[in-house]
Amino acid sequence: MFWKFDLHTTSHIDQLLDREDVTLKELMEEDDVLQECKAQNRRLLLFLSQDHCMQELVSLITTEPPADLEERSRFKFPNVACELLTSDVSLINDKLGGDESLLEMLYHFLEQDPPLNPLLASFFSKTIGNLIARKTEQLITFLKKKEGFIGLVLKHIDASAMMDLLLRLISCVEPASLRQEVLQWLNEEKLVQRLTELIHSGKDEERQSNASQTLCDIIRLSRDQANQMQENVESDPLLAVIEMQETVAGLLKNMFEGERSETSIVNGTQVLLTLLETRRSGLEGLMDLYSQGYERSYTVSSSILNAIESHLKDFQQVLLDPPKKSAILTTVGVLEQPLGNARLHVVRLVAALLQTTSPTICQELCNLTTMDLLLDLFFKYSWNNFLHFQVELCVSAVLNHPSSEELSGPGLQNHDTKPADTISDTQGEGAETSSASDPQTSVHNALVAHLFQKCRLVQRILDAWEENDKIQANGGTRRGNMGHLTRIANMVVQNLEKGPVQTQIADLIKELPEDCRGRWESFVDETLRETNRRNTVELVRHLSSGTDQPGAKLLQSYYQIQQMTANFVDQFGFNDEEFSEHDENINATFDRIAEINFNLDADDNSANAAAFEACCKERIRQFDDAEEEEDIWEEKEINYATQAKSRTRFGVSQTLEGSSRSSMENGDRQQDHGSGSDDGDDSEHKSANPGWTADFRDSGGTGVSQSASGWEGPADTVEEAAKNGDAQGTGWANFTEFQPFDGTEADREDKQAKQNHSKTGECHCHRLLDTV
C-alpha cells in the first residue's frame, strides 16, 4: 500500500528558511510558496509577517515595476505578493490590518495621478476588499479619517477596480449595524450625487460607463439586500437618494445639457432602466414580458416617473434627430444612417415606461405620438431585431393593459394617479368607451385608440405584408422583421378574441374602411393562419432532420420537453416553501407523494398475476416457526450429501433469460419454468455434442440446457443415494462416460442460469409495472 512508503517530499521552502540570509523574492520564486502559506506553514508565516517583508509585499502591489524588465516576469512578483496578502491567513490579516503604516502605504496608491496601472489597481482593490471582509472595523475607522478618500476613488473611477472597491464597501460589510453606518458615511460624502455628475457629455467614456454601472449595481444590491432582510431594518440611504426626483432630474439634465452625445444618453438611460426594473434582473431575457402578466417584485416610485415625464420631449427628439453616426457596411448593404445605440436605449425606455401603466406617462406619449414614431423605425430598420423586439413589447404593453382591479392590487404601483388632460380629437371615440370616473382606464383606452387610429397599426401590417410578398415574388429576400410582425398580428387577433380591451379593439376594427376591414379579415383567415401553420410545420421539419438521432426520437424529446417546461412544476414540482421551512412543512413531500394516483390491472386470473405468484413462491421462503432453531456454533459431523447435491446442479435444466422473456411477451405463461421442471424433457432435446449445450423449443422459445453425459440421474436420486450411503447408486457419476469440461465455465454458466431464472420473476414484475 502507498502508506508503507514515505512519498512525502520536503518543501524546498523549509530548506531556504534554514538560511539566515534568505530573501523574500527567493521564497516568492518557489512555485509552492502560496500553497505552503495557505497550509499554515508556521516558519513561513513568521517570516512573511516581519515588518520589512510586509512592507516589501505592499510596495510590490502599489509601485509600478521597472519598465526594462521582461514583460513576462514584470508583474510576476506583484501578482504573488497580492496572492500572499489575500491568502486569508489570520496572521497576515492581523499584521496588515493592525499596522497603520502599512495601511498608509496602501492608501498612498490612490494619491497617484491618473491613469492608474489597471493590473496594479486590481491588486490594490483585491487587497483592500480582503481587509473589508476580514478586518472591517479597523479599515473603516482608518478610511473614515481620510477626508478625500471618496474623491480619490472617483478620481480613478475610469479603472474598473475602483468601481469594485466601492461595491465591496456597500455589500461586504458585516454586521448590519456597521453596514448601515458605512452607507450613512458614503451618503454624507454625497457618493450618489458625485457619480451622477460624472454622466455628462464632457467626461470621457470610461468614467461615464463605470459611474453608470456603479449606480446600477447600487440600486440592485440595495433592493436585493432589502428583500433578504427578514427583520425590519433601516432603509438604504443611497437607494433613497437615487430614487429622489431631484437626483433623477439632475441625471436627466446632465444627459441633455450641452452637445448631446451617445455615450451620456446611453449610460444615463441605463440608470433609468434599472430604476424602472420591476423584476429581478436575472429573469430579464428569459421570458417575454407581455406573456407573464404584471406581477412585480419592486415598485416604481412616483418621483422617478415625474422626473422622466418632463424630459419625454428630449427623448422624442433623440428619436427624431439622433447623434450623428457614420455609415456602416452590413451584410445586407450599406446603412447610411444607422439606428444607433442611443435610439435603441430610448426605445427600451419607452417600453419600460409603458409597462408602469402611469396615466400621465401614457398621456404624454400619446401627445408626442411616440408609438407612431416607433412603428416608423420598426419598418425602416427591417434588419434590426433588437429594435423589433422592443417595439413588440411596446405594442404588447398597450394591448395587455391590466384591469382596474389588478392595478389597485398590491405590488403594482405606488405612484400617485393623476387625472388625464384633455384627449386629442383623434382619440375621442376610443376614450368614450371607457368609464369617465377612472382616469387611468380612460387614458389607456385613448392609447389603444391612438395605436389603431393615429398609428394605423392594422393598415401598416397589411401594407408591409403585401410589400414583402411582392419582394419575395420577384426573387428577393424575406424582410428581417416579418417574424416580429407575425407575432404582433397574432397579438392583435388574440386580444380581439380575448383580452382586457377586447370590446374596444372590436369597435376600432369595425371603424376601419370597408376595403381595409375586408383585407384584414381575409388576412387573418387565410394568410396569417397559413403562416402560423407553415411556421409550425417548418419547426417540426427542422427538428425531424437531426443527424445525431432519428427524427421521431428528436420530435418525441422536443414535445416531452415542451410539456414538461409548461406544466412540470405545477404538476410534479415542489414549492420553495417545502424546502426552506422544514419545521412547518415537514410532511409536504409525503403529502405530495400521497396524491399520486395510478391504476394497476392485476386480475387474479390473468397471466401476469399467475407469473407474479409463481415468482413470489419461488423466490420467497416462508419461515417455519415450528422448526427447531439451529445453533450455528454447534460442532457437527461433516455430511458429504450436500456436496453431492451441489454437483448434480449441472444436471438440472435452467431457463435462459432471453428466451424466457420472449415467452412471456408472447403470452406463453402456462408452463412453469421452475428448477427441475424440464427434467422429463431431456430425452426430446439431446444434442450430438456430449458436453453442455443449449437448445430452444419451437413452442414458446424456452431454452433447455442439456446435462453432461457423465452425470446420470436427477438431483433427487443422487441425494437419496448419498443419504442411504449407497455408493453404487444410480445418482453417482460414471467416470467412464464422463466428458471433460471447464469447471470454471460450468460454474459461470450455472450462476448465469440461476440469475436468469430469478430475473424471469423480476421480468413479470416489471411487465406489471410497465402497464401502469
Side-chain angles (χ1 to χ4, degrees):
M1 294 298 179
F2 290 111
W3 53 82
K4 291 183 179 180
F5 306 97
D6 185 12
L7 298 180
H8 177 70
T9 58
T10 304
S11 175
H12 189 55
I13 291 179
D14 292 331
Q15 299 176 11
L16 290 176
L17 291 172
D18 291 336
R19 292 169 39 194
E20 295 182 358
D21 58 344
V22 63
T23 62
L24 176 62
K25 290 192 175 181
E26 286 180 321
L27 292 173
M28 296 174 66
E29 287 281 3
E30 297 297 321
D31 295 335
D32 58 344
V33 61
L34 181 60
Q35 179 181 352
E36 289 294 318
C37 180
K38 292 184 177 181
Q40 305 286 334
N41 187 322
R42 188 66 181 174
R43 297 182 62 192
L44 176 62
L45 294 181
L46 290 175
F47 180 86
L48 294 177
S49 59
Q50 298 180 62
D51 291 342
H52 71 279
C53 290
M54 292 296 296
Q55 292 175 2
E56 187 174 356
L57 289 174
V58 173
S59 177
L60 284 172
I61 67 171
T62 57
T63 306
E64 188 82 16
D68 56 349
L69 291 179
E70 183 183 359
E71 191 66 26
R72 180 179 179 182
S73 59
R74 188 169 177 228
F75 290 97
K76 176 183 178 180
F77 289 121
N79 179 54
V80 176
C82 176
E83 294 298 325
L84 290 174
L85 291 174
T86 59
S87 58
D88 201 14
V89 176
S90 58
L91 188 60
I92 296 179
N93 290 338
D94 294 341
K95 183 66 176 178
L96 184 59
D99 192 338
E100 190 166 341
S101 62
L102 295 177
L103 295 179
E104 288 287 351
M105 290 183 64
L106 281 172
Y107 187 80
H108 180 68
F109 177 76
L110 292 175
E111 296 176 346
Q112 302 180 37
D113 294 331
L116 297 176
N117 184 294
L119 195 54
L120 292 180
S122 66
F123 296 154
F124 168 82
S125 176
K126 185 176 181 179
T127 305
I128 294 293
N130 181 69
L131 292 177
I132 291 174
R134 300 304 178 192
K135 311 300 289 184
T136 309
E137 293 185 6
Q138 294 91 325
L139 184 67
I140 296 301
T141 303
F142 173 80
L143 294 179
K144 291 176 70 174
K145 295 178 181 178
K146 303 294 183 179
E147 296 182 358
F149 170 69
I150 299 298
L152 291 177
V153 172
L154 296 179
K155 178 181 177 182
H156 302 292
I157 195 65
D158 55 323
S160 58
M162 296 299 104
M163 175 181 65
D164 296 337
L165 176 59
L166 287 175
L167 296 178
R168 286 178 181 273
L169 279 173
I170 294 172
S171 61
C172 297
V173 175
E174 295 292 342
S177 58
L178 184 57
R179 177 179 181 273
Q180 193 69 20
E181 181 182 341
V182 171
L183 293 178
Q184 192 64 38
W185 168 55
L186 294 176
N187 186 41
E188 292 174 358
E189 294 289 332
K190 298 188 178 300
L191 175 62
V192 172
Q193 293 86 338
R194 291 183 178 186
L195 289 171
T196 303
E197 292 174 358
L198 293 176
I199 305 177
H200 192 278
S201 58
K203 306 296 182 180
D204 60 89
E205 295 185 5
E206 288 296 330
R207 295 171 64 83
Q208 291 190 59
S209 177
N210 288 342
S212 172
Q213 188 62 46
T214 303
L215 287 172
C216 294
D217 289 339
I218 290 175
I219 296 170
R220 294 190 178 104
L221 287 172
S222 300
R223 288 177 173 176
D224 290 344
Q225 190 76 16
N227 285 346
Q228 293 172 3
M229 290 295 182
Q230 299 297 331
E231 67 278 2
N232 294 328
V233 294
E234 299 180 35
S235 60
D236 191 322
L238 296 181
L239 179 61
V241 171
I242 295 177
E243 292 181 340
M244 289 174 56
Q245 182 172 348
E246 180 183 356
T247 304
V248 179
L251 173 64
L252 290 165
K253 180 182 178 181
N254 291 340
M255 291 169 55
F256 297 108
E257 189 177 39
E259 184 181 356
R260 289 177 301 171
S261 66
E262 183 176 80
T263 302
S264 59
I265 293 174
V266 169
N267 291 309
T269 305
Q270 286 178 348
V271 178
L272 298 177
L273 288 171
T274 307
L275 288 171
L276 295 176
E277 281 181 356
T278 54
R279 293 179 179 84
R280 293 184 182 276
S281 59
L283 298 177
E284 185 179 357
L286 299 180
M287 59 187 72
D288 292 340
L289 299 180
Y290 66 86
S291 64
Q292 299 299 322
Y294 284 81
E295 181 181 357
R296 303 180 178 191
S297 303
Y298 309 122
T299 57
V300 179
S301 174
S302 59
S303 59
I304 301 173
L305 297 175
N306 293 336
I308 296 177
E309 179 189 350
S310 59
H311 285 82
L312 286 178
K313 294 181 180 179
D314 295 322
F315 287 109
Q316 179 86 351
Q317 189 61 30
V318 173
L319 294 176
L320 294 172
D321 185 20
K324 301 300 181 182
K325 296 183 70 68
S326 58
I328 60 175
L329 178 63
T330 67
T331 56
V332 293
V334 177
L335 193 58
E336 295 294 340
Q337 187 180 9
L339 176 70
N341 203 13
R343 285 199 285 187
L344 180 60
H345 273 73
V346 172
V347 178
R348 291 182 59 193
L349 180 64
V350 173
L353 290 172
L354 287 173
Q355 289 161 18
T356 63
T357 65
S358 169
T360 55
I361 294 290
C362 292
Q363 181 62 49
E364 185 65 17
L365 292 176
C366 280
N367 295 337
L368 295 173
T369 65
T370 303
M371 285 300 302
D372 188 35
L373 182 55
L374 295 185
L375 289 175
D376 289 340
L377 297 175
F378 178 90
F379 293 107
K380 177 179 180 180
Y381 296 94
S382 60
W383 298 101
N384 194 321
N385 289 153
F386 298 103
L387 169 67
H388 303 156
F389 178 70
Q390 297 301 324
V391 174
E392 181 186 342
L393 290 182
C394 293
V395 176
S396 172
V398 174
L399 298 181
N400 294 323
H401 185 81
S403 61
S404 300
E405 292 78 6
E406 294 173 334
L407 287 173
S408 60
L412 281 178
Q413 296 292 332
N414 64 353
H415 57 75
D416 300 329
T417 301
K418 298 181 180 180
D421 297 334
T422 57
I423 302 171
S424 59
D425 296 337
T426 59
Q427 303 152 9
E429 297 180 1
E432 293 176 358
T433 61
S434 64
S435 174
S437 60
D438 190 350
Q440 192 164 7
T441 303
S442 175
V443 171
H444 174 254
N445 289 340
L447 188 59
V448 174
H450 172 77
L451 182 63
F452 283 88
Q453 294 176 347
K454 176 65 176 178
C455 301
R456 301 173 63 251
L457 178 62
V458 172
Q459 293 91 327
R460 290 195 183 198
I461 293 175
L462 296 174
D463 294 343
W465 208 286
E466 293 173 359
E467 185 177 355
N468 179 77
D469 289 342
K470 293 179 180 179
I471 293 175
Q472 288 189 287
N474 296 330
T477 305
R478 182 174 182 262
R479 286 186 170 182
N481 58 2
M482 293 305 296
H484 289 278
L485 189 64
T486 303
R487 295 176 59 167
I488 292 176
N490 284 323
M491 195 187 310
V492 174
V493 174
Q494 292 169 4
N495 282 272
L496 182 60
E497 295 175 353
K498 181 181 179 181
V501 289
Q502 174 185 5
T503 304
Q504 185 183 7
I505 295 178
D507 294 339
L508 292 171
I509 295 293
K510 292 178 182 178
E511 295 174 3
L512 295 174
E514 184 176 354
D515 59 336
C516 181
R517 188 170 63 253
R519 290 168 57 199
W520 172 254
E521 294 175 355
S522 175
F523 168 77
V524 172
D525 294 337
E526 299 175 5
T527 307
L528 186 59
R529 185 187 301 273
E530 176 63 21
T531 300
N532 293 332
R533 186 198 66 79
R534 185 171 61 250
N535 290 342
T536 304
V537 171
E538 291 296 332
L539 175 62
V540 174
R541 184 178 303 168
H542 172 72
L543 291 172
S544 61
S545 62
T547 56
D548 295 337
Q549 56 179 325
K553 291 184 178 180
L554 188 61
L555 280 175
Q556 182 181 4
S557 302
Y558 172 76
Y559 286 113
Q560 286 175 349
I561 292 174
Q562 291 297 314
Q563 183 178 5
M564 182 186 72
T565 54
N567 302 315
F568 181 78
V569 175
D570 296 334
Q571 295 179 357
F572 303 102
F574 297 92
N575 297 326
D576 294 339
E577 299 175 354
E578 299 178 24
F579 295 95
S580 59
E581 301 177 4
H582 298 286
D583 296 337
E584 299 179 2
N585 299 281
I586 190 66
N587 297 321
T589 56
F590 299 99
D591 295 340
R592 295 293 299 274
I593 295 175
E595 297 174 0
I596 301 177
N597 300 320
F598 59 89
N599 297 323
L600 180 62
D601 185 9
D603 189 4
D604 293 341
N605 298 326
S606 66
N608 289 340
F612 182 76
E613 190 69 23
C615 292
C616 292
K617 289 181 179 179
E618 196 171 301
R619 295 282 294 172
I620 302 175
R621 290 183 56 192
Q622 299 293 337
F623 292 99
D624 190 358
D625 296 337
E627 290 184 1
E628 185 177 351
E629 187 173 347
E630 183 179 6
D631 187 2
I632 61 174
W633 303 106
E634 181 182 359
E635 295 184 0
K636 347 178 167 175
E637 183 180 357
I638 299 177
N639 190 346
Y640 292 96
T642 304
Q643 298 180 7
K645 181 177 180 180
S646 64
R647 290 174 181 172
T648 61
R649 62 189 179 186
F650 295 105
V652 181
S653 62
Q654 300 293 341
T655 304
L656 293 179
E657 179 183 7
S659 59
S660 175
R661 182 172 298 180
S662 176
S663 174
M664 292 181 186
E665 293 177 354
N666 293 329
D668 184 12
R669 301 179 179 89
Q670 302 300 325
Q671 184 177 0
D672 185 8
H673 298 295
S675 60
S677 61
D678 296 328
D679 289 343
D681 298 335
D682 288 347
S683 59
E684 299 177 6
H685 301 281
K686 293 291 183 180
S687 171
N689 188 352
W692 190 91
T693 58
D695 195 4
F696 299 91
R697 298 192 185 99
D698 294 334
S699 59
T702 304
V704 182
S705 62
Q706 294 286 17
S707 62
S709 59
W711 301 94
E712 296 181 1
D716 52 359
T717 306
V718 179
E719 187 173 358
E720 290 176 2
K723 288 181 179 179
N724 297 331
D726 185 7
Q728 301 297 329
T730 58
W732 292 95
N734 185 351
F735 291 98
T736 59
E737 300 180 2
F738 183 78
Q739 298 294 331
F741 64 92
D742 186 358
T744 303
E745 182 67 20
D747 286 341
R748 185 162 59 251
E749 296 290 349
D750 176 63
K751 291 179 181 178
Q752 182 66 29
K754 284 191 174 183
Q755 292 176 3
N756 293 341
H757 187 71
S758 64
K759 288 181 179 179
T760 303
E762 295 176 2
C763 177
H764 288 289
C765 300
H766 289 301
R767 292 286 296 173
L768 287 172
L769 293 177
D770 288 342
T771 60
V772 177

